[in-house]
Amino acid sequence: MRCDAMRGLEWIVIRRRHPFVMSVPRTTLRRIPLGNARDVLVTDVCLGTMTWGVQNTEGEAHAQLDYAVKERGVNFIDTAEMYPVPSSDSRWKPGRTEEIIGNWLEKNQELRKELVVATKVSGYQAKSETAGNRTTPPGAPAPAPLDKASVHAACDASLRRLKTSYIDLYQVHWPDRYLPIGAFTGSTEYVASKERSDSVPIKETVEALGELIAAGKIKNYGLSNESTFGVSEFVRAADELGVKRPVSIQNSFCLLHRQYDTEVAEACAKSNYDILLLPWTPLAGGALSGKYLDGSRPEGARMTVFKHFHQRYLNENSVKATAQYKKIADDAGLSLTTMALNWCKSRSFPTSTIIGATTLEQLKENIDAFEPTVKLSKETLKAIDAVHAQCRDPCIAT
């Protein structure tokens, strides 16, 4: 009884300070500021959607939204104009995931003001069906730079598909320049000869985002798959233009890939630029559930169906590390899934971790990992760090 009373008092305080959360369903999940947008509170678990439209039907996606939002109080949803993925699937249609979310929002209009809806402009691609899908009807594949016209067109298309008048968090999915992102390329080596002479200046992209804010089409903006240099340049451009700074960064971050820790975390720290980390693939594409250990390839699982997708998490070093993490979780009396997700929450810097699921059972376990009752012990965290010290970031190790 006393715990319930204290929790109720806590929500009274939050509602007085942050009126926009007045009608959010009661929840035990922690809410934290969206980076330097201190007046916006998000749950520290964010509902990812990239499987919706390929591995999940619209009905299944809506069931996930109903459960996460209405039953568990998750108020943060992440998508992208290029979703679903992977694009190699015959069912792939860029923008389909946004349409699925838009149809749900249309049926649940009373919840819109309570939610923080995030989507992304795709970023540089020389020839992109995503860019072609920004018009009605869709046009032929087209270049997708981050110039003003492209950013505006992408935002308008996302607003149309999401059936909303504003986007709470608009993210730059990919840089408009060469960047060696180890999570995808298998290497973090910078090669000067790969720089593009036609890259759109970051300042132009920020100017476009500022115009969208001024027009009321977006509330805040964030970055994704960025480096320390990129973060610093976005902040510098924002300050020069008198535009809001980015509030979030969505980078790969999990037990098998901790590259973010090395220096990007310093730039984004609360004491510096105060940019919230939104870890994507915290379960390493499902590998950190343990279901692929011992050579297992479960029927219907993502990396079973899509044999070239996220395979970096199944290389020899990654599998070896995953097996060691599984033993640590077993010793702690936790599932590997729970330990891997709660580890993201345990970081010294704030995170709102993006989870993804193809079943409601998976979704429940994923959200449960963020409940206040789950906390990794010092011994468990020390054991995790010992494994990491043996082979740092095995998914990009050669």
Side-chain angles (χ1 to χ4, degrees):
M1 291 291 291
R2 185 175 183 276
C3 289
D4 286 341
M6 290 299 292
R7 191 176 299 129
L9 178 61
E10 178 186 12
W11 272 105
I12 290 172
V13 172
I14 289 175
R15 287 168 181 166
R16 284 175 178 170
R17 292 178 180 174
H18 304 275
F20 89 99
V21 298
M22 285 185 67
S23 301
V24 171
R26 184 171 175 174
T27 180
T28 53
L29 295 173
R30 181 179 63 167
R31 281 185 166 79
I32 57 177
L34 183 61
N36 53 68
R38 310 299 292 175
D39 60 333
V40 181
L41 297 179
V42 294
T43 43
D44 60 1
V45 55
C46 175
L47 182 61
T49 64
M50 74 177 195
T51 62
W52 299 357
V54 170
Q55 288 183 270
N56 286 108
T57 65
E58 180 163 342
E60 291 168 341
H62 287 188
Q64 286 192 33
L65 282 162
D66 286 341
Y67 176 74
V69 175
K70 298 177 181 179
E71 295 188 40
R72 301 300 297 272
V74 173
N75 75 334
F76 199 5
I77 302 167
D78 178 73
T79 190
E81 65 165 340
M82 69 169 289
Y83 287 175
V85 294
S87 58
S88 59
D89 190 275
S90 60
R91 294 164 291 183
W92 177 69
K93 174 191 171 187
R96 178 59 184 143
T97 307
E98 287 184 328
E99 291 175 349
I100 289 172
I101 295 170
N103 291 338
W104 184 86
L105 289 173
E106 189 175 44
K107 293 188 298 183
N108 294 274
Q109 294 181 32
E110 73 283 0
L111 293 175
R112 177 63 187 96
K113 67 180 183 299
E114 302 166 2
L115 300 174
V116 177
V117 177
T119 192
K120 311 178 195 76
V121 52
S122 68
Y124 178 76
Q125 293 179 66
K127 191 177 182 180
S128 167
E129 289 186 49
T130 300
N133 194 45
R134 292 170 182 168
T135 60
T136 303
L146 289 173
D147 62 297
K148 276 191 179 186
S150 295
V151 172
H152 278 273
C155 182
D156 287 344
S158 288
L159 288 168
R160 182 175 66 250
R161 289 188 291 262
L162 288 167
K163 298 182 179 180
T164 185
S165 60
Y166 65 94
I167 294 164
D168 299 274
L169 177 62
Y170 198 48
Q171 302 157 102
V172 178
H173 206 158
W174 298 96
D176 197 311
R177 65 186 195 282
Y178 158 70
L179 185 64
I181 305 175
F184 298 96
T185 63
S187 172
T188 56
E189 180 184 1
Y190 172 77
V191 181
S193 62
K194 293 186 178 180
E195 285 284 4
R196 289 178 27 245
S197 61
D198 61 341
S199 293
V200 174
I202 286 174
K203 193 169 185 178
E204 179 175 345
T205 304
V206 173
E207 192 169 6
L209 293 166
E211 290 169 353
L212 292 174
I213 292 172
K217 293 182 178 181
I218 69 174
K219 301 292 187 182
N220 292 284
Y221 71 95
L223 310 175
S224 181
N225 302 306
E226 259 300 355
S227 67
T228 304
F229 171 80
V231 170
S232 299
E233 285 298 292
F234 266 92
V235 169
R236 184 162 73 101
D239 288 351
E240 289 179 359
L241 292 166
V243 173
K244 286 184 178 182
R245 289 179 172 185
V247 301
S248 64
I249 183 168
Q250 188 174 143
N251 276 21
S252 168
F253 189 64
C254 66
L255 290 174
L256 300 179
H257 188 222
R258 295 171 61 170
Q259 185 181 356
Y260 178 86
D261 280 336
T262 59
E263 57 175 302
V264 184
E266 179 190 13
C268 296
K270 191 174 179 180
S271 56
N272 293 318
Y273 297 142
D274 195 8
I275 294 174
L276 178 66
L277 173 64
L278 311 179
W280 63 259
T281 197
L283 291 179
L288 285 170
S289 69
K291 63 185 174 185
Y292 297 106
L293 288 175
D294 301 318
S296 178
R297 295 294 182 272
E299 184 178 355
R302 184 179 308 168
M303 288 187 277
T304 303
V305 176
F306 306 110
K307 301 184 186 302
H308 300 290
F309 193 60
H310 284 169
Q311 296 300 309
R312 58 188 176 274
Y313 300 121
L314 298 182
N315 68 33
E316 182 179 354
N317 289 322
S318 291
V319 170
K320 180 180 178 181
T322 299
Q324 292 176 289
Y325 288 133
K326 175 70 164 59
K327 184 179 185 307
I328 294 170
D330 290 344
D331 291 344
L334 301 168
S335 71
L336 178 54
T337 294
T338 297
M339 187 183 82
L341 292 175
N342 194 265
W343 175 82
C344 291
K345 180 181 177 178
S346 75
R347 300 302 80 203
S348 61
F349 43 81
T351 60
S352 181
T353 304
I354 301 172
I355 59 169
T358 54
T359 69
L360 285 176
E361 291 75 19
Q362 291 173 346
L363 182 59
K364 181 181 185 303
E365 182 180 15
N366 290 351
I367 296 175
D368 284 348
F370 294 88
E371 289 289 356
T373 53
V374 181
K375 186 174 182 180
L376 303 186
S377 69
K378 292 181 180 178
E379 292 75 20
T380 296
L381 292 170
K382 185 176 180 179
I384 288 172
D385 286 343
V387 173
H388 176 63
Q390 294 171 15
C391 182
R392 296 177 183 272
D393 298 336
C395 68
I396 61 174
T398 55

